[in-house]
Amino acid sequence: MSERGKALMEAATRQLREAMDLFGRMTEADLRKPCHDEGGDGAGDTVGAAGRHLADGYGRLGGLVRGAADGPAAHQAGQHDGSVTHGGGHDGAPGPANLADLLGDLTRANDQISRLGDLTDERLDSVLDPATSRFSDGRRTLEQVIGVALAHQAEHLSTLRRAVAAGQVEVPGARLYYETHGDGPLLVMVPGAGGTADVFRMVAAHLAAHHTVVIYDRRGFSRSRLAGPQDYDRRLQTDADDVRRLIGHLGGDDSATVFGASSGAIVGLETLARHPEAVRTLVPYEPPALGQLPDGKEWETFFSGVYDLYRSSGIEPALEAFRERTFAEIDRRTMARAPRNDANAAYWFEHELRQYPPAELDLDALTQHADRILPAAGRESHGYPCYEAIGRLGERLGLGVIELPGGHTGFLSHAAEFAEELTRHLTARNA
């Protein structure tokens, strides 16, 4: 057995097992969920259509492998490339899908793809005729074509996984978009300035081994659409009410662990104060509660200046000024690499930058429930205002601050380590 063929076979079968596990946990109703075709190559606009597209892709890959394993003539003719008979895929609109057919097609494709182990290095190094596969260009070897095809399939599988995990809940004045990942006690993650679930996607993948992780877009950001007039004078309270409704929608009468990052931590603190019955443990991670600091008024003036810069010069100069003074270098680098959504940034500038940092926290209510609070900050954030703010709040509540990897955005820059240490602290707290 070729070691290269064996490595390809292991990668392909692992990917197929993930696909079969995903479909094995679905219901027929899941197939009707919307699914955005990020690849733009005809995957369809529902989970069922995208699933058919995915299964057909694996079927064609299995046919290609079987042709290569059967001999050069079949390999070059491509006579096995396209053994799935349910139609659609890359060459046409995806046909109807049901779970039994999808799982059956994936099983057949897996049987064919397992023959990668039969391929010699010489066969893997052969250059494919462009007519053999859509990924052939007359220069790529069989090994390269299979690698590109697997990467393409992995993108579709990731899109499907997000679509199946996604849901929406109607709340007064908005429709909240959320995703659930994993299995275990409920852990709701409240995003900060960007307002979207995407900021937690990497760390959620690790936390999902121990929790049912809920990531969501806060109202007004990205996929959580507003519906009707908003009471912006009570926006923080409304954000907290949204967390309570999300917990009720997913957990019924059960409480949840709530992790809030940055301004999401301020939302978390407000949620515990307003709805203590919904919060089992709160992890406020570096809330910009700068009203807790002796120089809080100076920070309030600074943020007002950043807002004025946004109004006069635009988003980019204002974000640069904001980040330069407020965060450590590791966070500035992480933020600079993140995709920018100007609509979300504008919404944050208008309704959050000046409003949330000076918000008055209900210290009496928080003191009453201090045994549920686990203040947290990034190790790289020493000397920066959000670290100082959570430290000062912890002192007022009689609590120490746990440190987690990275800085203000450690859940992005150190996702695996961050999740591991957070899980350890939560396990000890809830033991």
Side-chain angles (χ1 to χ4, degrees), residues 17-53:
R17 281 196 301 271
E18 292 177 7
M20 287 187 280
D21 178 65
L22 177 64
F23 286 114
R25 289 184 283 109
M26 283 189 203
T27 66
E28 293 291 338
D30 287 325
L31 297 178
R32 296 189 290 274
K33 285 185 174 182
C35 183
H36 176 60
D37 176 15
E38 296 176 351
D41 62 351
D45 58 1
T46 66
V47 167
R52 163 55 49 219
H53 181 86

Side-chain angles (χ1 to χ4, degrees), residues 6-244:
K6 179 181 178 183
L8 279 174
M9 179 186 70
E10 290 174 350
T13 55
R14 182 168 57 249
Q15 198 180 102
L16 270 159
R17 281 196 301 271
E18 292 177 7
M20 287 187 280
D21 178 65
L22 177 64
F23 286 114
R25 289 184 283 109
M26 283 189 203
T27 66
E28 293 291 338
D30 287 325
L31 297 178
R32 296 189 290 274
K33 285 185 174 182
C35 183
H36 176 60
D37 176 15
E38 296 176 351
D41 62 351
D45 58 1
T46 66
V47 167
R52 163 55 49 219
H53 181 86
L54 184 79
D56 288 352
Y58 283 123
R60 274 184 297 278
L61 180 59
L64 177 65
V65 171
R66 187 178 69 178
D70 282 348
H75 172 205
Q76 293 299 334
Q79 64 191 54
H80 297 292
D81 187 9
S83 59
V84 175
T85 59
H86 289 92
H90 295 103
D91 300 320
N98 63 66
L99 288 173
D101 283 346
L102 291 172
L103 285 166
D105 290 343
L106 289 172
T107 300
R108 284 186 287 275
N110 189 54
D111 291 342
Q112 295 175 339
I113 288 173
S114 67
R115 298 192 64 185
L116 276 166
D118 297 336
L119 301 182
T120 64
D121 287 344
E122 180 181 7
R123 184 60 53 82
L124 290 170
D125 289 333
S126 62
V127 176
L128 291 189
D129 187 299
T132 306
S133 166
R134 70 177 295 229
F135 298 111
S136 304
D137 59 4
R139 296 185 301 275
R140 286 177 176 153
T141 65
L142 175 61
E143 183 178 23
Q144 291 171 331
V145 167
I146 292 171
V148 172
L150 286 175
H152 180 80
Q153 291 291 99
E155 291 178 4
H156 284 305
L157 182 56
S158 179
T159 298
L160 263 174
R161 196 179 288 115
R162 287 197 297 272
V164 173
Q168 293 183 332
V169 58
E170 300 279 352
V171 297
R175 176 181 294 169
L176 300 181
Y177 170 92
Y178 69 86
E179 299 175 16
T180 59
H181 300 271
D183 188 35
L186 201 61
L187 169 60
V188 177
M189 306 194 77
V190 187
T196 69
D198 301 320
V199 72
F200 291 132
R201 198 169 299 287
M202 289 190 295
V203 74
H206 299 282
L207 291 168
H210 303 279
H211 299 87
T212 297
V213 183
V214 181
I215 57 178
Y216 77 107
D217 296 349
R218 285 197 286 128
R219 70 165 60 207
F221 293 102
S222 289
R223 295 154 292 195
S224 287
R225 306 295 186 185
L226 301 177
Q230 305 292 307
D231 185 355
Y232 285 112
D233 290 336
R234 299 187 72 258
R235 182 167 177 268
L236 177 56
Q237 294 91 330
T238 302
D239 258 343
D241 292 347
D242 284 347
V243 175
R244 173 65 187 98

